[in-house]
Amino acid sequence: MKYAVLDFETTGSGMTDEVIQAGLVIVEDGKITKRFSSYINPTVEIPPFITQLTGITEDMVKDAPPLDEVLLHMIPLLDDAVLVAHHAAFDVSFLQRSLEQCGYLPFSGRVLDTLDLLRILFPSMPSLQLSMVCKEMNIHHDRPHQADSDAEVTALIWIRCLEKLEDLSLLTTQRISALFEDDSSDLSWFMQENRFRKELHISSDEQSGNYHRQFELNVGEWPEETSAREDDPDPALKGIAFEEFYKDLKARLQGGLKQYEDRSAQEQMIHEVYDSLEDDKHLLIEAGTGTGKSLGYLIPSLYYAIRREKKIIVSTHTINLQEQLRERDLPLLEHIFPVDFRASVLKGRSHYLCLRKFEHKINGSDFESPKEDVITAAQMIVWLSETMHGDEEEIHFGNKGSDFWHSVSSDADSCLNRSCPWFRRCFYHRARHEANIADVVITNHSLLFTDVKADHRILPSYDHLVVDEAHHFEEVAGKHMGMNVNYFSLVNPMLILLKDSRSGQIPHLRNELEQLDDDKSSEWMSIIDDVIPKIISAKEHWDKLTELLYELTTATASQDPGQGETGQMVYRLKTDVLPAEWDTLAGIENNLYIELSDALKKLDKIISEVKEHEDSDISQLGVDMNSTVRDLLGLRDDIRMFMKLSDPGYVYWLEANSYYKGKSLSLMAVPADVSGKLREHFFEPKHSVILTSATLSVDKSFQYAAEQLGLDTMTESGRVRTKLLASPFNYRKQALVCIPRDFPGVRGPGGETKFTDMLADSLRDVALQTRGRMLVLFTSYRMLKLVHGKLKEQLGSQGIQVLGQGIDSGNRSKLTRMFQDSSGAVLLGTSSFWEGVDIPGSALTCLVIVRLPFQPPNHPLVEAKSEMLQRQNKNPFMKLSVPQAVIRFKQGFGRLVRTGQDKGIVIIYDTRVLDTYYGKHFLYSLPGPRIEHMRLEQLVPRIRDWQETGE
């Protein structure tokens, strides 16, 4: 088959834009056989931003042939070819328009998009951006955004896709082809052709692989429980003291790791963690950036778990860190550890695929969004033949992929357990099984608290816990011990039950029952007919309730000029001053409660009987409906709890967004103080809890963290130890902090406008000196947008790209990649960029902190915590606001220096660090950089001097 791989560079994407360069590569029999490329002289000027993006200038096209001459060379190459492009809709639209404009017949051949094939065949590909795909496939891309280069690499990517198609098993190929059978698209034709060709050359008995119920898997049945050291009757490491063990392990590390370097802070951490585990003590330990804290707690944890035959749980805040431990740290330790050990990763149940649900969905072609869902299903069929874990994190979905995943993810209420035909291959039960036999289990804070709410039925029993990223522990505790119900929380499960008269679990069940034609089925259908109007009525009550609650929120927000800069509005509810219309709202909620309760009670009765039905389709529907009904029962109770404001220890508030009105509404309820619960569930019953982070201390003290976590009352008894470990980096030489002391504040009439104007001008001057490579951290999205507009205009002409969070992309990972891929860029970020962004090396040499990261004092949770402190005769600003901001400030500062070789400048435009009595707490918490303040006019010369001399 002949493929013509096409790429155009154009003056833009509008109807009046023109092609300025064409690239065409012919692929035949899996090889490139011809190439054609040419600049094209357009009749319009090339905009500056296109020149900046592509490098194509007016001089480069002025002597180029016109469009019709170029097409004359291209048309014969397109003859009898399947057209292939990356984002094909764009290139094909310009091709057809160009052909029509020049009087040629339109292209009438088949069109395939590499995006579709990449999604299906490489389901774990983290990004489908052309340069990122090249990076993943180790394809050299020397001139991105030039048509000849883009067409060349797209052709190489297409060849990889053809090779991957060839490698798929016959069964997987047939499964994918079957998904597209009712589709008339070119992609469907291509998949059918591929299946026909493969069936001619491969018989099913030639295929070797792991197959179950007509699916290819990469895993077999999980085995019976066995210990990692079952052949050794004596406890491993028996008689080997920790010092002796660590000395041997360190020698193995030095021998097995070329880049290994001694880190005294890491050694201290290893011993502190081991001593605390051995002595049954809790430990608060701050380990600065570069300490290597993952190994700092894994090494002693594994030794203790193996030696004492105890299980240790390690909990992280982010899934990313869980994956890092699994992919990087644990394999290293497996390589150097003197004895075998088992370490497992366990996530929340919804992170795992339910194979029974997936099989049912594929076999029944149960697709809500046919085009998107078919590609997602094909993607997952390929992924099933590759995955060992069945974990959502491994697969990168398209637009509606997360909705598809939700319909096939594992959940407790629809699980058949040992009755399920997939049980011995179930990914979730495999992960649970592996956790039960592991020495160390890596989980996350979210699952840790879910386990508490489930009476410890999820995680294996444990007495020793390591909490990484512990500065988030109290916040996650509040979220999990509280509730958050948004508009779609209730609507989505309702739509799963009943989308319309033909769609949803209820109509599906009714249709199945109608085929049976017996008395019991008639009885069930009668109940269903009674339930349907009740669910419709409940949905109407919910719509009305959320609409009125939204109006209540907007009315309050309109009186507060500080709210709404991002369209986000917040309204706190207090039992002693409820709004006048609350009784009306409570009445609507009561109607919702009654209608929903009645419907769910009747459905529950049907489900309990239907689940035992001999027809497997009917019984499976009953099982899946059970899960939906349980979700709705829980949501019904959460809404009741919120409207009653029944627990005085909770803070209740509404959140909404002006862009989506009532559909954006969220009902929030969180305990104001979780310290008692943390003591009850963790610090009192557990033998040892290790809490670590790069940012736990304030002013070199752990008092704030101890108070928030409930450890302050246990410190005097000697059960809690603390340790502050400095970073091994030489911040005095690696980081210069500059504070322009005459920079204006934001207060007073016109203060914010003046501040923003001067900030934009100063950032421009600094960016020109540093050639971009700058991350600017904001606390206000409104200010970010204003500065972005000014900087983009001023720096664009200088070849410095300006990227704004929520403007150029809302995806933090994508923005970070764009920043790193650019030779010089300025990245403006808000909340999520203060933490968890890792940009080592020369891509980032200047970090800017625009304002100190104080939380809004009128946020309901901050307000409630402040009121609680006031009742205790404590100063909320110094006991809560300042410590919170200091920890956030330290997180932000930590974005600059990520390795021992990184070097750069930090600029703080908030002069409160110099002018106020609390400013010293921020500077004193930094890890020893050089700190200088100067007049604004001296800022750029000082940066230039630092860059040139390092002094």
Side-chain angles (χ1 to χ4, degrees):
M1 197 177 292
K2 175 184 170 185
Y3 302 99
V5 183
L6 175 69
D7 189 83
F8 283 139
E9 298 305 328
T10 67
T11 57
S13 57
M15 290 298 292
T16 58
D17 284 299
E18 297 186 20
V19 180
I20 55 175
Q21 189 188 24
L24 191 62
V25 176
I26 304 301
V27 174
E28 295 174 286
D29 298 324
K31 293 186 177 67
I32 293 174
T33 57
K34 292 187 184 72
R35 295 176 177 87
F36 171 81
S37 66
S38 175
Y39 289 117
I40 297 169
N41 193 347
T43 62
V44 296
E45 287 188 1
I46 302 174
F49 79 93
I50 292 292
T51 296
Q52 184 183 344
L53 178 70
T54 65
I56 300 174
T57 64
E58 292 286 354
D59 284 344
M60 294 165 75
V61 300
K62 68 180 181 183
D63 297 323
L67 178 63
D68 59 342
E69 280 186 33
V70 173
L71 287 174
L72 197 60
H73 291 284
M74 291 175 63
I75 288 170
L77 295 173
L78 294 172
D79 192 36
D80 293 329
V82 175
L83 191 65
V84 175
H86 198 72
H87 288 290
F90 175 86
D91 297 288
V92 171
S93 68
F94 270 95
L95 175 66
Q96 302 291 35
R97 198 191 314 163
S98 300
L99 289 167
E100 181 184 0
Q101 178 186 327
C102 296
Y104 295 111
L105 291 172
F107 177 77
S108 57
R110 304 275 188 184
V111 177
L112 297 172
D113 197 326
T114 48
L115 289 179
D116 293 334
L117 270 293
L118 285 168
R119 270 185 62 191
I120 292 169
L121 298 172
F122 299 92
S124 298
M125 185 82 70
S127 168
L128 298 185
Q129 186 185 353
L130 191 62
S131 60
M132 295 304 295
V133 175
C134 289
K135 193 173 181 181
E136 286 290 314
M137 292 185 167
N138 291 317
I139 294 172
H140 180 59
H141 192 190
D142 57 348
R143 286 176 293 110
H145 303 295
Q146 294 237 341
D148 55 342
S149 179
D150 284 359
E152 180 79 14
V153 299
T154 303
L156 295 173
I157 289 167
W158 182 249
I159 291 169
R160 295 282 181 90
C161 289
L162 295 176
E163 291 170 349
K164 182 69 181 283
L165 268 176
E166 190 64 33
D167 290 341
L168 294 182
S169 70
L170 178 59
L171 177 60
T172 298
T173 303
Q174 290 168 330
R175 273 287 188 184
I176 293 172
S177 174
L179 292 170
F180 289 91
E181 275 181 348
D182 297 329
D183 189 353
S184 59
S185 68
D186 290 345
L187 180 60
S188 172
W189 162 82
F190 180 69
M191 291 302 185
Q192 308 307 324
E193 287 289 312
N194 182 57
R195 188 194 78 196
F196 296 150
R197 185 189 53 76
K198 189 163 278 195
E199 286 175 341
L200 285 174
H201 295 95
I202 302 174
S203 65
S204 57
D205 56 0
E206 287 179 45
Q207 295 284 293
S208 61
N210 197 333
Y211 302 103
H212 186 64
R213 297 175 69 85
Q214 295 300 299
F215 285 92
E216 182 186 5
L217 304 175
N218 194 31
V219 291
E221 295 187 354
W222 40 270
E224 294 300 323
E225 293 193 10
T226 55
S227 164
R229 301 165 297 280
E230 64 174 352
D231 296 333
D232 187 353
D234 294 320
L237 302 175
K238 181 181 179 181
I240 302 175
F242 184 69
E243 288 297 336
E244 181 186 347
F245 157 81
Y246 180 62
K247 184 179 178 182
D248 173 61
L249 190 76
K250 187 176 173 182
R252 289 166 177 262
L253 260 174
Q254 290 167 332
L257 208 60
K258 286 183 180 177
Q259 66 269 38
Y260 176 80
E261 54 188 48
D262 267 334
R263 300 179 188 180
S264 62
Q266 187 182 63
E267 289 207 10
Q268 288 181 63
M269 182 173 182
I270 286 168
H271 286 92
E272 289 284 346
V273 171
Y274 174 70
D275 290 344
S276 297
L277 291 171
E278 189 67 33
D279 299 341
D280 286 349
K281 303 291 184 184
H282 303 316
L283 174 66
L284 283 164
I285 182 164
E286 180 173 291
T289 306
T291 300
K293 61 183 168 62
S294 298
L295 293 183
Y297 59 70
L298 283 174
I299 288 171
S301 295
L302 282 165
Y303 171 87
Y304 185 86
I306 296 167
R307 174 81 188 275
R308 299 293 182 188
E309 298 185 314
K310 303 285 187 184
K311 192 176 298 293
I312 293 185
I313 303 290
V314 173
S315 179
T316 70
H317 174 55
T318 58
I319 297 290
N320 281 348
L321 183 52
Q322 265 188 290
E323 290 301 318
Q324 178 186 306
L325 295 177
R326 185 198 333 238
E327 300 296 330
R328 190 188 71 184
D329 298 302
L330 289 172
L332 169 65
L333 291 175
E334 284 172 354
H335 180 64
I336 63 165
F337 237 66
V339 296
D340 292 335
F341 67 84
R342 286 192 189 275
S344 75
V345 173
L346 185 60
K347 300 179 182 178
R349 187 161 192 159
S350 63
H351 285 275
Y352 298 97
L353 176 70
C354 172
L355 288 161
R356 179 192 62 80
K357 284 188 189 176
F358 184 68
E359 177 191 27
H360 189 65
K361 195 174 188 75
I362 299 301
N363 290 346
S365 299
D366 179 18
F367 302 133
E368 289 288 318
S369 309
K371 186 177 185 302
E372 276 291 322
D373 284 0
V374 164
I375 289 180
T376 302
Q379 180 183 27
M380 291 181 69
I381 285 171
V382 173
W383 172 67
L384 269 183
S385 69
E386 299 171 347
T387 181
M388 296 291 294
H389 307 293
D391 182 348
E392 174 191 18
E393 294 297 315
E394 301 170 354
I395 190 166
H396 293 267
F397 293 116
N399 294 335
K400 304 254 178 106
S402 58
D403 294 337
F404 186 99
W405 177 269
H406 179 74
S407 70
V408 295
S409 62
S410 181
D411 71 277
D413 294 316
S414 70
C415 183
L416 299 177
N417 291 301
R418 293 185 179 275
S419 301
C420 180
W422 290 95
F423 179 72
R424 295 293 293 179
R425 288 171 175 81
C426 173
F427 292 115
Y428 174 68
H429 285 289
R430 180 188 299 272
R432 289 277 308 276
H433 162 77
E434 289 172 353
N436 285 332
I437 61 175
D439 301 300
V440 169
V441 180
I442 314 293
T443 187
N444 54 69
H445 302 350
S446 180
L447 188 59
L448 208 60
F449 290 106
T450 302
D451 180 58
V452 168
K453 288 175 76 172
D455 296 324
H456 306 285
R457 293 192 303 270
I458 299 171
L459 292 172
S461 177
Y462 65 96
D463 290 313
H464 302 84
L465 171 66
V466 177
V467 179
D468 199 349
E469 301 175 302
H471 58 287
H472 285 294
F473 198 56
E474 182 257 355
E475 173 198 351
V476 177
K479 285 180 180 175
H480 276 266
M481 293 173 187
M483 56 144 283
N484 174 4
V485 177
N486 62 47
Y487 172 79
F488 289 104
S489 298
L490 194 67
V491 167
N492 285 340
M494 281 183 170
L495 291 176
I496 290 170
L497 275 181
L498 182 69
K499 189 169 186 180
D500 54 46
S501 60
R502 291 174 298 177
S503 306
Q505 291 172 338
I506 289 175
H508 194 173
L509 177 60
R510 198 188 187 290
N511 290 340
E512 293 289 335
L513 294 173
E514 212 164 14
Q515 311 302 318
L516 299 179
D517 194 26
D518 57 40
D519 291 344
K520 194 62 183 174
S521 300
S522 299
E523 180 191 331
W524 288 337
M525 285 191 292
S526 175
I527 296 172
I528 286 172
D529 291 340
D530 186 38
V531 162
I532 288 174
K534 292 183 181 297
I535 292 174
I536 293 169
S537 175
K539 164 78 165 48
E540 289 168 353
H541 289 310
W542 178 237
D543 285 342
K544 184 65 176 173
L545 180 62
T546 51
E547 183 185 327
L548 293 175
L549 287 171
Y550 172 77
E551 289 174 6
L552 181 65
T553 308
T554 53
T556 312
S558 65
Q559 300 163 21
D560 182 357
Q563 284 203 42
E565 69 170 41
T566 60
Q568 195 71 18
M569 297 168 290
V570 176
Y571 174 48
R572 183 182 173 193
L573 294 159
K574 300 181 183 180
T575 50
D576 51 343
V577 282
L578 284 171
E581 57 268 50
W582 196 253
D583 285 346
T584 303
L585 294 165
I588 297 170
E589 183 274 332
N590 194 51
N591 292 336
L592 166 66
Y593 188 92
I594 291 168
E595 293 279 34
L596 201 52
S597 297
D598 194 17
L600 296 177
K601 183 179 179 182
K602 289 176 177 177
L603 281 178
D604 200 31
K605 181 179 183 301
I606 295 176
I607 288 166
S608 63
E609 297 173 358
V610 161
K611 282 197 297 184
E612 307 303 322
H613 200 279
E614 59 187 18
D615 185 308
S616 62
D617 286 341
I618 291 176
S619 64
Q620 285 203 30
L621 260 174
V623 169
D624 292 338
M625 281 179 69
N626 183 55
S627 172
T628 313
V629 167
R630 298 285 152 242
D631 286 346
L632 285 168
L633 285 168
L635 290 161
R636 176 205 66 181
D637 293 343
D638 283 346
I639 295 166
R640 169 57 52 103
M641 176 256 197
F642 181 89
M643 295 300 295
K644 295 287 186 187
L645 285 76
S646 50
D647 192 325
Y650 276 65
V651 191
Y652 300 86
W653 74 93
L654 297 163
E655 286 187 7
N657 191 296
S658 58
Y659 301 122
Y660 300 105
K661 305 194 180 301
K663 289 182 171 55
S664 69
L665 190 82
S666 290
L667 283 56
M668 316 281 286
V670 173
D673 180 13
V674 297
S675 59
K677 291 288 186 184
L678 291 175
R679 273 196 306 274
E680 176 189 344
H681 293 295
F682 295 101
F683 303 122
E684 287 171 354
K686 304 303 177 191
H687 295 180
S688 176
V689 179
I690 313 294
L691 299 118
T692 185
S693 165
T695 53
L696 273 180
S697 70
V698 177
D699 276 355
K700 310 292 189 283
S701 163
F702 290 93
Q703 183 182 352
Y704 171 72
E707 288 173 353
Q708 294 297 302
L709 294 166
L711 285 169
D712 52 327
T713 58
M714 305 179 78
T715 305
E716 292 177 7
S717 66
R719 279 219 62 196
V720 181
R721 294 172 176 171
T722 61
K723 186 68 178 179
L724 201 156
L725 300 173
S727 168
F729 299 153
N730 187 342
Y731 280 97
R732 187 77 183 163
K733 288 191 173 181
Q734 289 181 256
L736 170 68
V737 176
C738 296
I739 309 164
R741 61 175 175 264
D742 56 342
F743 210 77
V746 297
R747 292 194 172 182
E752 188 169 332
T753 302
K754 182 181 179 183
F755 180 92
T756 304
D757 289 343
M758 288 186 66
L759 175 66
D761 290 342
S762 180
L763 290 175
R764 175 201 62 210
D765 296 341
V766 173
L768 290 172
Q769 175 60 41
T770 61
R771 298 307 302 165
R773 301 182 296 167
M774 178 193 293
L775 173 62
V776 187
L777 298 176
F778 288 83
T779 57
S780 159
Y781 183 66
R782 181 178 68 243
M783 190 180 288
L784 182 153
K785 284 203 298 184
L786 290 170
V787 171
H788 179 273
K790 295 173 186 289
L791 280 183
K792 198 170 186 76
E793 186 180 324
Q794 296 174 342
L795 293 177
S797 59
Q798 302 295 319
I800 297 173
Q801 188 178 10
V802 179
L803 302 168
Q805 184 181 6
I807 301 168
D808 297 283
S809 174
N811 184 298
R812 187 180 74 172
S813 299
K814 183 178 178 182
L815 278 172
T816 304
R817 284 197 304 269
M818 290 167 68
F819 179 74
Q820 289 176 299
D821 289 343
S822 172
S823 57
V826 176
L827 175 54
L828 314 182
T830 54
S831 53
S832 65
F833 274 89
W834 284 79
E835 181 178 356
V837 176
D838 197 2
I839 310 173
S842 60
L844 176 62
T845 58
C846 182
L847 175 78
V848 175
I849 294 175
V850 174
R851 301 279 294 161
L852 296 179
F854 285 103
Q855 284 196 334
N858 59 349
H859 185 278
L861 189 55
V862 176
E863 199 175 72
K865 285 176 178 284
S866 298
E867 290 166 1
M868 190 171 65
L869 288 167
Q870 285 171 336
R871 289 194 293 272
Q872 299 167 10
N873 294 318
K874 294 177 180 176
N875 182 340
F877 184 69
M878 293 307 297
K879 294 292 285 184
L880 178 67
S881 298
V882 169
Q884 278 182 341
V886 167
I887 285 174
R888 192 74 165 158
F889 178 78
K890 287 169 67 178
Q891 285 285 342
F893 179 87
R895 298 313 96 211
L896 181 67
V897 177
R898 307 300 296 170
T899 72
Q901 288 72 49
D902 292 347
K903 186 175 180 180
I905 300 115
V906 179
I907 305 171
I908 304 171
Y909 283 103
D910 194 332
T911 58
R912 287 179 293 179
V913 293
L914 301 175
D915 302 339
T916 63
Y917 67 93
Y918 56 82
K920 62 187 177 184
H921 298 294
F922 291 87
L923 298 181
Y924 187 58
S925 289
L926 294 178
R930 180 182 297 206
I931 301 175
E932 298 179 7
H933 53 87
M934 68 280 295
R935 295 181 60 79
L936 181 61
E937 66 197 36
Q938 298 169 311
L939 178 63
V940 174
R942 180 66 187 99
I943 291 171
R944 186 184 305 117
D945 183 49
W946 167 266
Q947 288 179 319
E948 291 172 356
T949 66
E951 297 292 336

